[in-house]
Amino acid sequence: MFILIRRGGIYHISYRKRFTQLPLTKKQQFVLLLPQGLSRAKDNTMVSDNTKIGTGLMFLGFTFLFLGVLFLFDSTLLALGDILFLVGLTLTIGASRTLRFFSRKDRIRGIIAFFGGVTLVLFRWPIIGMILQVYGLI
């Protein structure tokens, strides 16, 4: 999609946030401005079904984590919240980005602490596991 914008006597052709300067002649009096809704970029901004489902699972994960902490660190709710959060994160941003996020070498201490906390919660040590998870997030 092209949008012509007038700035100081020079028209800029904008295509996906790239600007090209063109000189303005006196014969150019009409400018075609296409509304944003008619562009092909609208198809790229649609949310996929995996992203919607992943967002819902992340919300459920946060809800179960909140309820697990509210009910004095109930290990079943915390474990369910951890699993739903990780599955929701994978569906929301994709498997390759999730692996890239959790395999960065500059964050290795936090990643080990976070997954160690998840493991401790799954083995029914909820308080120590949540402390490790919070340390891993920070």
Side-chain angles (χ1 to χ4, degrees), residues 10-13 19-23:
I10 298 175
Y11 280 97
H12 299 273
I13 296 178
F19 290 95
T20 306
Q21 294 184 359
L22 294 178

Side-chain angles (χ1 to χ4, degrees), residues 17-84:
K17 298 182 182 177
R18 292 185 203 139
F19 290 95
T20 306
Q21 294 184 359
L22 294 178
L24 178 63
T25 63
K26 293 192 177 196
K27 292 183 180 180
Q28 293 175 336
Q29 294 179 2
F30 299 101
V31 177
L32 175 64
L33 294 175
L34 296 176
Q36 290 285 343
L38 296 177
S39 70
R40 284 182 279 151
K42 185 177 182 181
D43 295 335
N44 294 337
T45 60
M46 291 179 60
V47 179
S48 70
D49 289 337
N50 283 344
T51 305
K52 291 176 189 176
I53 293 170
T55 305
L57 288 177
M58 283 179 60
F59 175 74
L60 279 176
F62 281 129
T63 303
F64 280 115
L65 284 171
F66 176 73
L67 288 175
V69 171
L70 189 69
F71 292 138
L72 300 176
F73 294 97
D74 183 27
S75 62
T76 307
L77 289 174
L78 291 174
L80 190 59
D82 284 338
I83 291 170
L84 285 174

Side-chain angles (χ1 to χ4, degrees), residues 75 79 82 113-133:
S75 62
D82 284 338
F114 180 76
F115 281 112
V118 170
T119 305
L120 284 177
V121 167
L122 289 175
F123 287 139
R124 299 198 179 254
W125 289 61
I127 296 174
I128 299 171
M130 287 303 292
I131 290 171
L132 271 178
Q133 285 182 16

